[in-house]
Amino acid sequence: MSENPASSGSEPFRHHKPKPFAPLDFEPFAGGADPARVSEAAHLAAQALVSRGRASEDPEVTRRLVRLADEQGLDAIAEMWSESPARSLPGALWRLYALRAATKQDPERISVYFRAGKDTAQVSHVVAGVADPPGADELTAMADAILSGAFDGEFDVALERSAAFCRVVALGQATVADGAEWANSHHATKLTKSANQLVKTAEDLEASAKAWRRGQLD
């Protein structure tokens, strides 16, 4: 992961462009600005975004918020939110947007993992709310629906649906990894690592949902 040099003197700080986003890769992007100021800006932006979405009854507003990463680029959101604590409002929003981006970038591959994990993780499958059979179109629609729910539904439910989705995909990756271990150990190891990261993401989203219900997610 690359490092951005710290700003000095009167020269304005410039972010290096974050590394290209890879599906299901949630490693924080590097940054060199004052962490306290970045954190404050991230929290204020997240609060404003969620408040705007939840205060509006206009479906067009929700659609525009869902498509924010499409129109502004995931890199822009990464610079603002990806370094926030996982169990915070901006950290949770980053994970919602990143999961949607990962799904829309390669829905066919994600649907393979989801199908491989759904029969074992039946409860999570139901909570995630993906139409059956879960093909590429169904996974893409689910990703949009979950993010929409963060703005026009119950925010904690949106977080729990994303967590459930992560758990199903993680289990599918682990299943595929087991089958690929002898044929391609490198691929199996990579899938296992990704599965472990997704389980951690699910735990963070679930904790954020509980904090939101207590009025403590900020």
Side-chain angles (χ1 to χ4, degrees), residues 73-85:
L74 194 68
D75 287 357
I77 294 179
E79 289 187 1
M80 182 168 58
W81 287 337
S82 68
E83 292 185 3
S84 299

Side-chain angles (χ1 to χ4, degrees), residues 12 25 33 44 63 65 87 102 147 159 165 182 192 208:
D25 178 3
L44 289 174
R63 188 193 69 81
L65 291 174
R87 301 182 182 189
L147 191 51
L159 297 178
F165 171 72
W182 293 107
T192 299
S208 294

Side-chain angles (χ1 to χ4, degrees), residues 43 66 72 110-111 156 179:
H43 283 75
V66 169
Q72 301 298 322
I110 303 303
S111 68
D156 55 329

Side-chain angles (χ1 to χ4, degrees), residues 24-211:
L24 307 181
D25 178 3
F26 300 101
E27 183 180 358
F29 289 79
D34 179 353
R37 295 182 64 183
V38 171
S39 177
E40 180 184 13
H43 283 75
L44 289 174
Q47 290 165 2
L49 195 64
V50 172
S51 296
R52 179 186 179 191
R54 300 180 67 77
S56 175
E57 296 183 359
D58 184 352
E60 178 61 18
V61 171
T62 299
R63 188 193 69 81
R64 287 168 59 190
L65 291 174
V66 169
R67 298 190 62 186
L68 181 65
D70 299 339
E71 297 169 355
Q72 301 298 322
L74 194 68
D75 287 357
I77 294 179
E79 289 187 1
M80 182 168 58
W81 287 337
S82 68
E83 292 185 3
S84 299
R87 301 182 182 189
S88 67
L89 182 58
L93 274 175
W94 160 243
R95 281 153 180 77
L96 292 182
Y97 275 104
L99 279 167
R100 176 181 177 271
T103 302
K104 292 178 74 68
Q105 184 173 343
D106 196 352
E108 292 286 354
R109 186 166 66 91
I110 303 303
S111 68
V112 169
Y113 298 144
F114 194 93
R115 286 195 298 271
K118 73 181 184 69
D119 290 336
T120 302
Q122 292 185 2
V123 173
S124 293
H125 174 210
V126 172
V127 173
V130 180
D132 215 359
D137 291 343
E138 289 75 17
L139 266 292
T140 300
M142 178 227 62
D144 284 345
I146 288 178
L147 191 51
S148 294
F151 301 116
D152 63 12
E154 298 297 328
F155 191 72
D156 55 329
V157 173
L159 297 178
E160 289 174 336
R161 288 185 66 189
S162 286
F165 171 72
C166 287
R167 290 190 179 280
V168 176
V169 173
L171 186 56
Q173 287 182 321
T175 300
V176 173
D178 288 343
E181 185 173 2
W182 293 107
N184 190 334
S185 60
H186 176 73
H187 181 57
T189 299
K190 185 176 180 180
L191 278 178
T192 299
K193 180 180 178 181
S194 179
N196 291 336
Q197 290 174 336
L198 274 182
V199 169
K200 178 63 169 60
T201 297
E203 293 171 348
D204 289 335
L205 289 167
E206 290 160 353
S208 294
K210 292 177 181 178

